[in-house]
Amino acid sequence: MRLHDFRGGVHPPSQKHLSAGRPIESLPLPARLYIPLQQHAGAPALPVVTVGQQVGKGELLARAQGATSAPLHAPSSGRIAAIGEFTAPHASGLPLPTIILDTDGEERWAERAPPPDPFSLSPEEVARRVGAAGIVGMGGANFPASVKLSKARQAGVHTLVINGAECEPYVTCDDQLMRERAGEIADGIAIMLHALQASRAVIAIENNKPEAIQAMSDACRHDARIEVLGLPSRYPAGSAKQLIQLLTGLETPAGGRGTDTGLLVHNVGTAYAAHRALRHDRPLISRIVTVSGGAVPEPRNLEVPIGALAADLLAYCGGVSDERARLLMGGPMMGQPLPGPQVPVIKGTNGILALTPDEVGEAGEPSPCIRCGRCVEACPMGLLPLELSKRARGEDWEGIQALGLNDCMSCGSCAYVCPSHIPLPQYFAYARGMLAAQRREEQKARRTRELMEQRQARFERQERAKAEAAAARRAAKKPRTVVLEADED
Amino acid sequence: MNSNSFAGAPHAHDQDSVPRLMGAVLLAILPATLYGLFLFGWPAFNLLTITVLVGLVCEAGCLWLAGRPIRPGVMDGSALLTGVLLALSLPPWAPWWIGAIGAGFAVVVGKQVFGGTGQNIFNPAMLARVMLLVSFPVEMTTWLTPHPWWSGTSPGWLEGWLITLGHFSATDGVTGATILGYARTELGMNHSLAQILAGHYQASAAALGWTGGSLGETAEWLVLLGGLWLLRRRVITWHIPVGMLGAVLVLASGFHLLDPQRFADPVLHLLSGGLMLGAFFIATDPVTSPISSLGQIVFGVGCGVLVYIIRTWGGYPEGVAFAVVLMNAATPVIDHYIRPRAYGRTWSGKPRPVPARAKQPPLARKSGVDARD
């Protein structure tokens, strides 16, 4: 397969050496787990347990609600301590509905049925089981995997792309997963190919992970449908659109889906989770998380039950050495700043990073834009970040949409290179927020107008009915009137 | 954890900053500047000092008047760079008030009235040079043959100040036209180019920068080296210099081939006047040049074409400042019409059609799959 190129992108220094090659260790089971009901796109899951209830490991805690939702399962056995609000992994630090589980340390599995051979199942059934296991995209997008599989099969996707690019600096959890569990990933890929009815898979891995490339190549040697491909390491090669472009030269049409190109992208962690679900009947209750950054004394890759707090992970890695560290969930390019360490790991968490001010590269106040065009050069989507931010500052919401705000995927490449240190993605986020508020307002106004019009119409109908009735009455009276008139005459 | 935990992504940044970029440009032009000072002595040094100081003071004053932070504005290096570039484009023994008026005009009218750094439409140094040339044509076209520091004819420190303060006319020194100016005058008298250049132009001296001209323009090869270093350091991109030099090269070659007696050869054009300085240090000013690569090529070619037209048929022997300022005015138009094509969209901005290949079977191994399934 010949590689193509994508435009833009940046080369942030890797920093993967801090945690790369560290064998995956299991985090000691925390006494409490905090499982937010919203760990996926779509509506929050609906709890099916009550406070005080004993649950076994893997037991259903909350069921999916709506088409793009995902169920939640108990990461360990124990007792439901509370169902309430708890800080979610979001910069705002706002609380979200959360199931709080006191673990009993017994790791007692709920009863599982011995799973049938996945290849004897129908593709629909495989996708359904992937969905029932609560599997969402493990690369951070958190979109339910079963929905992607079914939609892609219906769209006639021919190639499954397994994303092992992992282009964010620091993050090595996928790298380590591929090195240690390549056989399981390969099996998961075969299962997903069956669910998709697609004919081949490509595992795309950045060239800075030679061990992972080797391990995956060895594991897939027996399966002629699976190809392992090394990519040049350049951020954001791991973004689905850029990955598809690298592999095929095709661009996903604006406003369209990746599947329009005939390819479907899934993360390696998702393939591994599919293997666990279909071969061992294990729901998605844990994941591999990279704990790293200059303020972490002992960076590691940890297998972590969903719901463990960032504080638990950091404590296991020697605590945070620098009080002025910036705490992140995810990588430095797109990661979420955390309001504090008391925030749980969710299904899409690939890293917990504590970065020192040096690593963050803080440069004080932003200076004026000098129109150097580096952001334009760096934008993988071919946008004009400086013009977009100018529109956002001028509150020109129509202009900013015309310039393609909706095409921006917030990869942060523009701000990474900006010599004036302008926080461009924050302007875009602000504009998105304002536009969303505007849309809500418009919807409300439209609804009000509709109600007004309906009311008006009702009044008019009533008036008309009244008038007609009056006319009818008059008409009915008419002969009498004539008579009266006649009488008068 | 501190309040920074609420800052947005990305949480990483490369090393570059505006002061670093300005510093790189200053470093790149340093060899040509030093060589210019060496060739033209103390008066040139005084002139450079004046443009830089006046530029910085005006910048600070404007920021103070506007109630904006003074330190970061003055320290970002942009006013310093404007002062240096202006001095490099002036006659080396120009009197102090030429430098002072020019630097003040560049910073106040050329930049601050538009709103300061990043807001100006025209390159401040070139705008000032154009203003000076139009307003003070005599002082601005009094050229001097080089007086190297060790040559004995170079004025001493005190004499240098007398020249700068205007007590000592530069014409008392050895003056002469630049080659472009001389050729223009002589061509006007129907002399052929070969005759003109024979007595007046030595390629070797020109190449060394051993000719009359502006302070920083005569040593074209040092300017070129600095420019190439900026390219290597990715402070500038190749689009504008290649467009500008390429356009002059193509036009000069074409006309020279048509009539070698009337049109100077391309090498003379490339190595004379402010072309090299303009191509690498002036036209590449990010604030006043287009954003997109294609736009930059258009801009560069436009500059080059204008330079050639002004030099060959215009009213001035040299036209880099005019050309750059004119193209600066065209930059908003270029940026409006030439944009990068957005991913997943056509050039007109509409979504691209769904690729036809999408519906086709994959490249390989369909049969193997059927067997397996």
Side-chain angles (χ1 to χ4, degrees), chain A residues 7 91 158 199-200 223-225 241 245 248 250-254 260-262 320 323 325-326 328 332-335 337-339 355 359-362 367-374 376-377 380-382 384 386-387 403 407 412 415-421 425-426, chain B residues 1-2 4-14 16-19 21-22 117-119 233-237 286-293 296 331 335 339-345 351-355 357-366 368-369 372-373:
Chain A
R7 93 181 285 290
H158 51 68
S199 48
R200 66 166 186 176
D223 195 334
R225 300 171 304 169
K241 284 180 175 176
Q245 198 177 14
T248 64
L250 296 175
E251 291 180 19
T252 309
D260 289 342
T261 57
V320 176
E323 270 306 300
R326 188 182 290 188
L328 301 181
M333 295 302 288
M334 290 190 75
L338 293 180
L355 302 183
E359 290 176 290
V360 177
E362 284 163 305
S367 52
C369 169
I370 55 166
R371 292 175 31 93
C372 64
R374 291 188 175 206
V376 179
E377 225 177 297
M381 299 305 285
L384 302 170
L386 80 172
E387 292 289 339
L403 277 172
D407 292 352
Y416 178 79
V417 295
C418 177
S420 297
H421 298 265
Q426 272 150 283
Chain B
M1 302 292 151
N2 68 341
N4 276 328
S5 49
F6 292 95
H11 309 277
H13 199 280
D14 75 0
D16 266 328
S17 65
V18 173
L21 291 182
M22 298 290 173
T117 302
Q119 302 289 314
R233 273 224 45 206
R234 294 185 53 76
V235 173
I236 60 172
T237 59
V287 175
T288 56
S289 60
I291 297 164
S292 64
S293 302
Q296 289 176 355
T331 291
D335 271 342
R339 288 179 180 170
R341 185 180 65 75
Y343 176 100
R345 293 185 184 276
R352 293 183 112 190
V354 172
R357 271 181 58 188
K359 302 296 174 215
Q360 286 177 7
L363 307 172
R365 303 170 194 141
K366 181 79 179 161
V369 177
R372 223 188 125 92
D373 284 353

Side-chain angles (χ1 to χ4, degrees), chain B residues 69-204:
Chain B
I70 296 171
R71 232 183 97 85
V74 174
M75 296 302 280
D76 73 3
S78 58
L80 178 63
L81 183 61
T82 296
V84 171
L85 289 177
L86 175 67
L88 294 184
S89 72
L90 295 179
W93 284 16
W96 68 274
W97 52 270
I98 286 278
I101 292 175
F105 187 84
V107 168
V108 177
V109 180
K111 180 169 152 192
Q112 289 293 342
V113 294
F114 288 100
T117 302
Q119 302 289 314
N120 48 305
I121 296 170
F122 301 105
N123 181 298
M126 287 305 100
L127 195 67
R129 195 191 125 88
V130 166
M131 183 278 285
L132 291 171
L133 188 58
V134 173
S135 309
F136 312 106
V138 176
E139 286 80 1
M140 286 297 288
T141 51
T142 302
W143 304 109
L144 187 78
T145 46
H147 288 53
W149 222 302
W150 45 259
S151 69
T153 56
S154 178
W157 186 78
L158 191 68
E159 201 185 343
W161 272 111
L162 287 176
I163 292 170
T164 301
L165 293 174
H167 289 294
F168 214 73
S169 170
T171 44
D172 296 344
V174 186
T175 60
T178 66
I179 183 61
L180 288 170
Y182 180 69
R184 152 176 306 279
T185 324
E186 296 291 303
L187 278 170
M189 294 187 241
N190 275 331
H191 294 148
S192 83
L193 204 59
Q195 290 172 321
I196 298 166
L197 295 181
H200 206 83
Y201 173 74
Q202 289 140 329
S204 58

Side-chain angles (χ1 to χ4, degrees), chain A residues 7-10 235-236 373-381 385 411 413-415 417:
Chain A
R7 93 181 285 290
V10 294
Y235 180 86
R374 291 188 175 206
C375 55
V376 179
E377 225 177 297
C379 180
M381 299 305 285
C411 70
S413 298
C414 52
V417 295

Side-chain angles (χ1 to χ4, degrees), chain A residues 22-73:
Chain A
R22 298 254 176 182
I24 298 169
E25 295 172 51
S26 285
L27 179 77
L29 185 67
R32 276 204 154 175
L33 296 173
Y34 301 80
I35 303 131
L37 292 174
Q38 174 97 60
Q39 303 192 27
H40 44 260
L46 224 58
V48 296
V49 290
T50 51
V51 176
Q53 186 179 335
Q54 291 288 331
V55 292
K57 189 172 181 176
E59 195 172 322
L60 186 70
L61 295 181
R63 61 183 167 78
Q65 185 186 210
T68 54
S69 180
L72 295 165
H73 302 81

Side-chain angles (χ1 to χ4, degrees), chain B residues 227 231 236-247 279-280 283-284 296 300:
Chain B
L231 273 178
I236 60 172
T237 59
W238 58 268
H239 306 86
I240 291 176
V242 167
M244 190 164 169
L245 298 175
F280 286 101
T284 50
Q296 289 176 355

